[in-house]
Amino acid sequence: MATSTITTASEAGKTTMAPATSTTRNHKDSMKSTWRTWDKKTWNHEQKIMDLLGLHPTDLNREVPVFAKTDKMAYVPHMEGHKWILFHALWPLLVHQAYIYLTGRNIHWLAAFAFYSITYKFNAIREIHKMRELGHQYGYLDGDKHERDQVPDSRTKEVLHSLTSTATIRPIVSCFLTYATSQDPLSTFSWYLPLEIGAYGAILDFWFYWYHRVMHENETLWSFHRTHHLTKHPSPLLTLYADSVQEVFDIIGIPIITYGTMRLMGLPMGFADWWICQQYVVFAELWGHSGLRLYSTPPTTFTPILRFFDAELLTEDHDLHHRKGWKNSYNYGKQTRLWDRLFGTCHERIEAVEGNIDWNTPVSLSLWFPTPHPVPLESPLSIPDVVYQMDQGRSTRESASDILRLGRPGISTISVPLNTDDRTFTTATMTTQGSQASSDPDIMGQQLAVGAAPSSVPTTSLPAVTRSSGQSGTFDEVG
């Protein structure tokens, strides 16, 4: 009988893939990250800021589901990405426009820079929070082998400074090149915007592709880029985990060259247009380093063209660039797969392959509410049995209880090994038969944990718990 096994990250094997070098390794090359477990009194300012803003890629108090390479993968509809980006790109422009309407005057260049710098950071933090929630629901690529890398102990200052620099300097460049107090934001929109969104991503990716590829193939430039490749399983905070020389090109060089190219092509690229284009780019940059186990492509208006040439970039493409590549690599694009396809540097995908995609399981990027639980109304696995192998944490109880509470069609049994103090497991098998249990996830968690429902809890058609032996005991029969 086909099953899909889900384990927690704490149970999965953890292997470290350190690049081989012929010289003594610099202590700053270490990806060891333990600082989040230290006494907070010992944290530096950067660590306190990252914790205050909730920038961590995972929550240490919650489990991360781990899937086998061949397990089914949910997908993010293209319009969900557009919805998220356009909402976060438009609200600062509308606030700016409202200020002009209420006061009758535009804001000074310096005030514009400050405002858009803050909103740029706010939007990026919102995306990081959303990706963390998705990670705790859908897991990560290669999660059965390795967890996502966290911010290293030796580089917390550099990582936060890099992210802050990006979110500060890019708005400065935009304001310097395109902002004018004589124009309100709405007047800088153009009818060319749909074309600009697609063209900006493709053109930026062309310049980035060759800059990135040369950084790998040239010995001198590789010395500046190698730091970024110390992470084999990157997370959003490590997007700009790099040396300062690379940061200059990433933050300033490539965007300015792209803007100049667009202007030479005769496209308006007014302030609002460029702001929106950059929001598309930063969304793809952060998402591309998330490693989320979701079938997702960077939103763009060029999707039909890219799809025709099989040139859409997936999250796994850049993940494989880090995981499998070092100085010699592939998958150099970060917005599309167009130039990798054209110049023969694509790498075969492992998990995000057609046979693994569950097109019946769309993922919504909700703007205000938590993303719905990953198990849909109809089992994405299309098999009668789903086996959950998890610790006895809250996320575990919610996962199993939701299936029972909602009476998922096509799922007949759930085997829940419960963690004991000595890390052994006792298994309880729950037969759902399309029934329902208590609607309270915490109460349902108690039912799973003890093998019976508390007598004071009103329930309907409680599932049977059959006796099943384990390494540390048995459960009594109920129902």
Side-chain angles (χ1 to χ4, degrees):
M1 183 176 294
T3 62
S4 174
T5 302
I6 306 176
T7 63
T8 58
S10 60
E11 301 158 35
K14 299 180 178 67
T15 58
T16 303
M17 299 177 62
T21 60
S22 58
T23 59
T24 302
R25 186 167 183 173
N26 188 315
H27 77 282
K28 284 204 167 187
D29 284 357
S30 172
M31 291 303 298
K32 179 182 177 181
S33 181
T34 60
W35 64 269
R36 292 174 65 189
T37 64
W38 301 349
D39 185 341
K40 291 186 178 182
K41 295 179 180 178
T42 66
W43 286 0
N44 59 37
H45 293 302
E46 290 76 15
Q47 290 164 343
K48 292 177 181 178
I49 291 172
M50 282 189 278
D51 188 66
L52 177 65
L53 296 177
L55 300 181
H56 309 304
T58 57
D59 185 341
L60 294 180
N61 296 319
R62 297 170 61 189
E63 294 291 351
V64 176
V66 179
F67 296 84
K69 295 289 192 296
T70 55
D71 282 347
K72 291 291 185 177
M73 177 187 298
Y75 80 101
V76 181
H78 217 62
M79 289 307 298
E80 288 296 312
H82 284 297
K83 176 188 74 177
W84 179 275
I85 295 169
L86 289 174
F87 174 84
H88 289 86
L90 290 174
W91 79 259
L93 297 170
L94 294 176
V95 170
H96 185 176
Q97 189 70 36
Y99 173 85
I100 296 173
Y101 176 79
L102 293 173
T103 64
R105 64 178 184 273
N106 206 341
I107 58 178
H108 188 271
W109 183 92
L110 291 176
F113 148 66
F115 173 70
Y116 285 99
S117 176
I118 291 171
T119 56
Y120 192 105
K121 295 177 179 68
F122 176 83
N123 288 347
I125 291 171
R126 284 261 298 168
E127 185 183 352
I128 290 171
H129 290 174
K130 172 59 67 176
M131 290 187 292
R132 180 173 61 240
E133 287 302 311
L134 292 171
H136 280 293
Q137 294 179 18
Y138 297 93
Y140 295 97
L141 297 163
D142 201 40
D144 56 338
K145 299 295 183 183
H146 200 287
E147 294 176 335
R148 286 288 116 181
D149 290 335
Q150 307 282 330
V151 177
D153 297 340
S154 60
R155 296 268 189 170
T156 54
K157 291 184 178 180
E158 290 91 333
V159 168
L160 186 62
H161 291 171
S162 295
L163 294 172
T164 303
S165 298
T166 302
T168 302
I169 295 175
R170 282 184 180 174
I172 287 180
V173 173
S174 295
C175 289
F176 180 75
L177 292 178
T178 63
Y179 184 75
T181 56
S182 61
Q183 297 177 309
D184 61 81
L186 294 184
S187 70
T188 62
F189 277 98
S190 76
W191 292 105
Y192 288 95
L193 180 59
L195 173 62
E196 289 173 331
I197 290 172
Y200 190 82
I203 293 171
L204 181 141
D205 207 48
F206 172 80
W207 294 116
F208 179 83
Y209 172 90
W210 282 110
Y211 143 75
H212 190 191
R213 183 171 174 177
V214 170
M215 291 279 278
H216 276 266
E217 296 180 354
N218 180 277
E219 196 69 40
T220 301
L221 295 178
W222 169 249
S223 65
F224 298 115
H225 187 54
R226 67 178 294 279
T227 298
H228 184 65
H229 273 270
L230 293 173
T231 172
K232 293 296 183 182
H233 295 81
S235 54
L237 283 185
L238 301 179
T239 300
L240 279 175
Y241 177 63
D243 287 338
S244 56
V245 173
Q246 176 180 336
E247 290 178 13
V248 171
F249 281 95
D250 281 350
I251 297 172
I252 304 175
I254 300 300
I256 289 180
I257 293 172
T258 304
Y259 171 79
T261 304
M262 299 277 284
R263 293 289 290 152
L264 288 173
M265 292 171 59
L267 295 172
M269 290 300 289
F271 177 76
D273 287 2
W274 196 14
W275 167 259
I276 292 174
C277 287
Q278 289 198 75
Q279 291 299 298
Y280 271 85
V281 167
V282 71
F283 178 89
E285 288 177 340
L286 291 173
W287 192 288
H289 285 86
S290 69
L292 287 169
R293 196 175 189 275
L294 291 169
Y295 187 90
S296 172
T297 66
T300 173
T301 54
F302 275 18
T303 293
I305 299 173
L306 297 176
R307 189 166 294 167
F308 179 80
F309 290 105
D310 189 23
E312 287 184 288
L313 188 75
L314 299 183
T315 307
E316 187 176 30
D317 293 328
H318 195 69
D319 207 62
L320 288 171
H321 174 76
H322 278 268
R323 195 191 322 159
K324 300 291 187 180
W326 180 236
K327 189 175 184 298
N328 296 319
S329 196
Y330 24 74
N331 293 356
Y332 294 107
K334 201 159 61 174
Q335 299 291 323
T336 75
R337 211 184 190 196
L338 180 62
W339 310 113
D340 282 297
R341 177 70 65 194
L342 183 62
F343 298 113
T345 51
C346 289
H347 188 281
E348 289 186 3
R349 293 156 181 162
I350 299 173
E351 295 181 65
V353 294
E354 182 62 32
N356 274 4
I357 312 307
D358 185 354
W359 298 110
N360 295 317
T361 312
V363 176
S364 172
L365 301 183
S366 55
L367 298 174
W368 301 114
F369 303 102
T371 300
H373 195 276
V375 180
L377 292 179
E378 294 188 5
S379 170
L381 304 173
S382 300
I383 54 177
D385 295 334
V386 179
V387 179
Y388 280 76
Q389 183 173 323
M390 294 182 172
D391 285 350
Q392 196 176 335
R394 176 177 172 81
S395 61
T396 301
R397 297 197 297 266
E398 288 180 351
S399 298
S401 66
D402 277 355
I403 297 175
L404 295 172
R405 174 166 54 82
L406 298 175
R408 306 297 189 193
I411 301 179
S412 60
T413 62
I414 304 171
S415 179
V416 186
L418 301 174
N419 203 337
T420 61
D421 292 338
D422 60 355
R423 308 296 293 175
T424 56
F425 291 87
T426 302
T427 303
T429 301
M430 315 290 286
T431 305
T432 68
Q433 300 174 341
S435 62
Q436 284 191 321
S438 168
S439 60
D440 187 329
D442 289 330
I443 294 173
M444 193 61 234
Q446 296 173 26
Q447 295 167 13
L448 288 175
V450 302
S455 58
S456 61
V457 178
T459 58
T460 303
S461 302
L462 280 175
V465 180
T466 60
R467 184 182 298 275
S468 176
S469 63
Q471 295 181 7
S472 60
T474 63
F475 279 86
D476 294 333
E477 293 182 356
V478 178

